[in-house]
């Protein structure tokens, strides 16, 4: 009888030992899976139906625009700058580039004007700043940061946001400053498509495909802090006062101590699924990786063609994925990862 007890005790101890070793192995695996990169940056210039027939010179312009923005982020982070500085500077650069739907180059509303949204979030403090419906702020991401750092609030809209921009000495421009010929032509096509759709609703809502485009960035700095920022002109032909996902903290923009995420795509769908926060919450509650959590959202929550996300986690992993045909995107980290891409199979 005594022998049986001893055998049972030894077997129990060895099981505990194996369990302990397995735990350590899992910990090591998690650490090894991660790059443990000192810094990381990811950015996007919009997702959606991006034709592979894009003429070579236009394609080249997009790659150059993404490359320029990526270099700005890399430089800030390599030199020890903060994740907040990196995402603000990257997004400012993309806002000033007329190729992308944010700042200059923003899409037109139904009335033929521009209404811009932006947000920024500091993952180390959960502080955030956001604005919607501004019509004269040249770089909305900078106003979002001023709101975060200088006001008692998080989210400003319309005229109030513009009054605050003056108080904070953030540059304002005429609304026409955001206009480009290409976006104007897009509005004309969208107006034609909407009127065909109204006359023939059997075309289905997928017929209206002017839903995409935004810019955003996510970064990890050498102090281990994460930040995300997003900026957009919204959706071509949008109705007066329409607010998209971008300035809704947790929908288009989110950062905490696990990951920083910026979304692009169909704002209404991104909002319905509180998308950026859902990715971070999935990581926290299930222990899944950033890649797995983003896959969960893209495949289990969103519909094909809805959206794309760029993100970095606390280990410096860069994850950029979408369920759209393409996403203008770029990313890099200190561990040697570097990518500038538009379509999936690049
Ligand atoms: N994702 C940008 C928007 O829908 O406004």
């Amino acid at each position: 009888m005594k022998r049986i007890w001893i055998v049972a005790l030894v077997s129990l101890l060895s099981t505990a030992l194996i369990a302990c070793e397995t735990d350590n192995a899992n910990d090591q695996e998690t650490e090894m899976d991660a790059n443990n990169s000192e810094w990381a940056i990811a950015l996007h210039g919009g997702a959606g139906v991006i034709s592979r027939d894009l003429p070579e010179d236009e394609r080249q312009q997009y790659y150059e625009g993404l490359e320029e923005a990526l270099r700005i982020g890399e430089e800030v982070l390599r030199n020890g700058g903060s994740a907040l500085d990196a995402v603000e500077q990257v997004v400012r650069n993309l806002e000033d580039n007329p190729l992308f739907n944010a700042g200059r180059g923003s899409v037109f509303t139904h009335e033929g004007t521009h209404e811009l949204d932006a947000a920024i979030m500091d993952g180390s403090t959960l502080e955030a700043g956001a604005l919607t419906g501004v019509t004269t702020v040249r770089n909305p991401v900078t106003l979002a940061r001023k709101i975060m750092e200088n006001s008692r609030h998080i989210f400003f809209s319309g005229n109030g946001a513009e009054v605050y921009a003056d108080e904070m000495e953030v540059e304002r421009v005429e609304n026409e400053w955001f206009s480009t010929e290409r976006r104007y032509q897009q509005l004309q096509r969208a107006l034609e498509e909407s009127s065909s759709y109204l006359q023939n609703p059997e075309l289905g809502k997928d017929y209206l495909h002017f839903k995409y485009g935004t810019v955003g960035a996510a970064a990890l700095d050498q102090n281990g802090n994460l930040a995300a920022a997003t900026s957009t002109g919204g959706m071509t032909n949008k109705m007066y006062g329409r607010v998209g996902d971008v300035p809704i903290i947790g929908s288009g923009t989110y950062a905490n101590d696990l990951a920083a995420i910026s979304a692009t795509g169909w704002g209404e769908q991104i909002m319905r699924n509180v998308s950026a926060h859902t990715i971070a919450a999935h990581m926290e509650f299930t222990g899944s990786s950033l890649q797995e959590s983003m896959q969960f959202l893209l495949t289990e929550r969103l519909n094909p063609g809805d959206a794309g996300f760029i993100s970095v986690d606390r280990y410096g992993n860069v994850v950029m994925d979408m369920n759209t045909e393409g996403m203008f995107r770029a990313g890099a980290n200190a561990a040697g990862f570097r990518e500038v891409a538009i379509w999936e199979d690049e």
Side-chain angles (χ1 to χ4, degrees):
M1 189 66 174
K2 205 170 168 187
R3 243 182 98 137
I4 294 174
W5 273 109
I6 289 170
V7 170
L9 197 66
V10 168
S11 133
L12 207 67
L13 277 172
S14 49
T15 311
L17 214 62
I18 290 166
C20 196
E21 275 172 7
T22 313
D23 270 359
N24 286 342
N26 282 343
D27 282 352
Q28 272 170 12
E29 210 177 309
T30 314
E31 295 296 308
M32 278 160 53
D33 274 353
N35 287 318
N36 279 326
S37 176
E38 283 172 354
W39 56 262
I41 177 89
L43 62 95
H44 67 77
V49 182
I50 305 171
S51 168
R52 284 176 191 265
D53 297 332
L54 199 64
E56 187 52 39
D57 57 333
E58 275 185 49
R59 187 183 293 227
Q60 212 43 47
Q61 284 174 25
Y62 280 109
Y63 282 125
E64 280 167 18
L66 294 168
E67 178 69 40
E68 185 180 302
L70 182 61
R71 269 196 246 117
I72 289 171
E74 286 174 310
E75 201 175 315
V76 170
L77 296 166
R78 199 179 285 124
N79 293 331
S82 71
L84 275 174
D85 283 345
V87 296
E88 183 191 354
Q89 289 187 32
V90 165
V91 170
R92 274 182 73 96
N93 172 272
L94 293 165
E95 285 174 340
D96 282 344
N97 187 335
L99 283 177
F100 303 108
N101 175 20
R104 186 131 202 270
S106 282
V107 296
F108 283 83
T109 64
H110 181 74
E111 284 74 29
T113 60
H114 306 280
E115 293 179 4
L116 316 183
D117 300 338
I120 194 164
M121 187 158 186
D122 181 348
S124 62
T125 58
L126 297 186
E127 294 289 346
L131 53 101
T132 184
V134 298
T135 56
T136 62
V137 176
R138 174 174 168 168
N139 291 109
V141 70
T142 293
L143 179 57
R145 186 160 179 191
K146 295 279 184 203
I147 290 170
M148 176 176 78
E149 291 181 341
N150 298 289
S151 82
R152 298 180 282 126
H153 307 298
I154 290 181
F155 196 1
F156 282 65
S157 72
N159 186 48
E162 284 169 353
V163 170
Y164 195 66
D166 286 345
E167 236 173 80
M168 291 290 112
E169 298 182 355
V170 172
E171 184 179 353
R172 289 173 67 187
V173 290
E174 293 298 318
N175 193 247
E176 295 75 48
W177 190 86
F178 301 111
S179 303
T180 56
E181 179 58 25
R182 194 165 63 98
R183 298 298 186 197
Y184 180 74
Q185 294 306 332
Q186 264 179 12
L187 174 65
Q188 303 316 307
R189 287 204 301 279
L191 291 171
E192 278 164 30
E193 286 191 3
S194 305
S195 87
S196 320
Y197 174 73
L198 287 175
Q199 283 156 25
N200 308 289
E202 67 279 4
L203 287 168
K205 69 178 164 52
D206 285 346
Y207 181 70
L208 303 169
H209 57 265
F210 291 95
K211 306 171 195 144
Y212 309 101
T214 291
V215 308
L220 169 76
D221 64 30
Q222 294 190 35
N223 290 323
N225 295 331
L226 290 150
T230 319
S231 181
T232 190
M235 190 175 165
T236 300
N237 194 25
K238 67 184 179 182
M239 288 176 73
Y240 41 79
R242 180 259 187 189
V243 182
D245 59 295
V246 167
I248 310 291
I249 297 304
S251 280
T253 311
Y254 192 73
N256 62 10
D257 58 355
L258 292 178
I261 301 143
S262 171
T264 171
W266 185 6
E268 278 69 8
Q269 276 295 84
I270 295 168
M271 277 190 276
R272 277 182 197 111
N273 291 283
V274 202
S275 299
H277 182 263
T278 296
I279 294 174
H282 188 268
M283 290 173 74
E284 183 178 348
F285 301 151
T286 68
S288 304
S289 69
L290 176 56
Q291 172 92 52
E292 289 161 347
S293 299
M294 195 181 291
Q295 267 306 307
F296 165 80
L297 184 81
L298 285 167
T299 58
E300 305 295 322
R301 290 285 181 267
L302 295 171
N303 298 321
D306 278 348
F309 301 87
I310 57 94
S311 58
V312 302
D313 70 13
R314 63 178 161 163
Y315 303 114
N317 291 304
V318 174
V319 180
M320 307 186 284
D321 206 353
M322 68 278 190
N323 62 17
T324 53
E325 203 173 311
M327 174 166 69
F328 297 110
R329 62 194 187 278
N333 68 19
F337 169 81
R338 199 169 196 285
E339 181 179 274
V340 178
I342 303 176
W343 294 280
E344 198 168 4
D345 48 4
E346 284 179 89

